[in-house]
Amino acid sequence: MAVMTVVSGVGLMADDRVLAGSAIWFKPFKFAVSFVVYALALAWMLTLLTRGRRTGWWAGTVVALASLVEMALITAQVVRGKRSHFNHATPFDSSLFAAMGATVVILWTGTLVIAILLLRARIADRACAWAIRSGVLLALVGAGFGFLMTQPSQEQRAAGNLDTADVVGAHAVGVPDGGPSMPLTGWSTTGGDLRIPHFVGMHALQLLPLLLLALTALAPRFVRLRDPGVRLRLVRIASGAYGAVTALVAWQALRGQPLLRPDGVTLTAAAVVLAATAAGAYGALRGRPEAHHAPSTAKESVR
């Protein structure tokens, strides 16, 4: 995937073709970068397993191979100048998209197996255990939003020609794919976009463990963070807040609302999440310290 990031980056500069309102190499570039950080996080988490290591090795291998096949199919369609996702223009295109769907199911299942193994692993530092387990579970939820994109949109259902339509499924909600979009992400600026909760949820896999690493790095400078109980409470608050934000952006997208144009109801919900998170963080920092200190770092917790 690191190699594909370079290849698709070169494609972005050398190939001026545009497909569905976006540079044709932009999709493989985004997928390659996403797979790099996803695989790195899972590879690190597999080192924390205390039981079922062989099962974890097989699950990780399945995830890697499924990712490789999906990227190969996406790239093949780019070379052909065709849509990779939701493409039913010809039986061949439909078969390729069906194969991509199968690889996603396999990838999700492999990650689920790793999540179950992590739930059973004995990780001494409770904050580390919480960050890892909540991160991988939220990533599974985020990945699950990808399955919603494969369903016919309301506009496609209304057209009534699903058996003969060239495109079935969409990223956007309430507007056609390929319309005005945000730079870099490509998310719709005129309607909802299911890629947003998909992205937010999946990257809990990296962000929650990174939060714990940040708290551990700051512990020598801030006395309260030296207490493992405080770090545990902060990670729990962050996990709850992250889940709430994932649910919020999913709700916003399903209502056909652009991320940067929230209505009053969405803003109110966001304010409630923010206030609850701030109150929870304040309470976590003000709570009583633990009498017995667990290992202070994720590295120490697995020695």
Side-chain angles (χ1 to χ4, degrees), residues 176-192:
D177 280 350
S181 62
M182 296 171 59
L184 297 180
T185 63
W187 298 336
S188 175
T189 56
T190 56

Side-chain angles (χ1 to χ4, degrees), residues 229-283:
V230 171
R231 294 197 300 272
L232 174 61
R233 291 193 291 267
L234 287 173
V235 169
R236 284 175 173 171
I237 293 297
S239 299
Y242 203 104
V245 169
T246 303
L248 178 61
V249 295
W251 178 55
Q252 184 182 14
L254 289 169
R255 290 160 58 218
Q257 190 177 111
L259 178 67
L260 300 182
R261 291 166 53 193
D263 61 12
V265 177
T266 302
L267 287 173
T268 300
V272 170
V273 172
L274 180 61
T277 302
Y282 177 79

Side-chain angles (χ1 to χ4, degrees), residues 15 17-19 24-25 28 72-85 87-97 100:
D15 192 340
R17 290 179 297 166
V18 175
L19 183 64
I24 198 166
W25 283 97
L73 293 172
I74 291 171
T75 305
Q77 287 293 71
V78 167
V79 172
R80 296 179 65 231
K82 305 293 184 180
R83 291 180 65 126
S84 56
H85 288 68
N87 190 349
H88 296 275
T90 68
F92 181 69
D93 290 320
S94 187
S95 297
L96 289 184
F97 180 55
M100 275 188 279

Side-chain angles (χ1 to χ4, degrees), residues 9-278:
V10 172
L12 282 170
M13 294 184 290
D15 192 340
D16 59 359
R17 290 179 297 166
V18 175
L19 183 64
S22 178
I24 198 166
W25 283 97
F26 190 42
K27 184 183 288 285
F29 178 80
K30 289 193 298 182
F31 269 69
V33 172
S34 181
F35 276 135
V36 165
V37 295
Y38 189 79
L40 283 173
L42 277 185
W44 170 66
M45 290 179 180
L46 284 171
T47 68
L48 305 180
L49 296 181
T50 54
R51 61 177 88 175
R53 284 180 176 269
R54 185 169 182 80
T55 302
W57 185 90
W58 278 109
T61 301
V62 166
V63 168
L65 291 176
S67 305
L68 180 63
V69 171
E70 182 172 9
M71 181 57 73
L73 293 172
I74 291 171
T75 305
Q77 287 293 71
V78 167
V79 172
R80 296 179 65 231
K82 305 293 184 180
R83 291 180 65 126
S84 56
H85 288 68
F86 322 129
N87 190 349
H88 296 275
T90 68
F92 181 69
D93 290 320
S94 187
S95 297
L96 289 184
F97 180 55
M100 275 188 279
T103 63
V104 171
V105 172
I106 293 169
L107 190 153
W108 192 91
T109 304
T111 305
L112 175 62
V113 171
I114 295 172
I116 293 171
L117 293 173
L118 288 168
L119 289 173
R120 299 175 65 238
R122 293 173 181 159
I123 302 174
D125 186 273
R126 291 187 295 161
C128 178
W130 190 277
I132 290 168
R133 291 164 181 167
S134 57
V136 72
L137 291 175
L138 283 170
L140 284 168
V141 172
F145 286 112
F147 297 111
L148 293 180
M149 302 179 203
T150 64
Q151 303 303 306
S153 66
Q154 290 184 353
E155 294 77 14
Q156 290 166 352
R157 288 194 183 96
N161 61 340
L162 297 180
D163 293 336
T164 58
D166 289 347
V167 177
V168 178
H171 301 127
V173 178
V175 295
D177 280 350
S181 62
M182 296 171 59
L184 297 180
T185 63
W187 298 336
S188 175
T189 56
T190 56
D193 200 313
L194 290 170
R195 289 173 294 185
I196 299 171
H198 182 63
F199 174 90
V200 172
M202 286 193 67
H203 288 290
L205 191 72
Q206 298 87 32
L207 293 178
L208 290 175
L210 283 175
L211 170 66
L212 175 62
L213 291 176
L215 294 176
T216 304
L218 291 171
R221 299 184 60 185
F222 298 94
V223 175
R224 293 297 295 158
L225 295 181
R226 297 174 193 170
D227 178 10
V230 171
R231 294 197 300 272
L232 174 61
R233 291 193 291 267
L234 287 173
V235 169
R236 284 175 173 171
I237 293 297
S239 299
Y242 203 104
V245 169
T246 303
L248 178 61
V249 295
W251 178 55
Q252 184 182 14
L254 289 169
R255 290 160 58 218
Q257 190 177 111
L259 178 67
L260 300 182
R261 291 166 53 193
D263 61 12
V265 177
T266 302
L267 287 173
T268 300
V272 170
V273 172
L274 180 61
T277 302

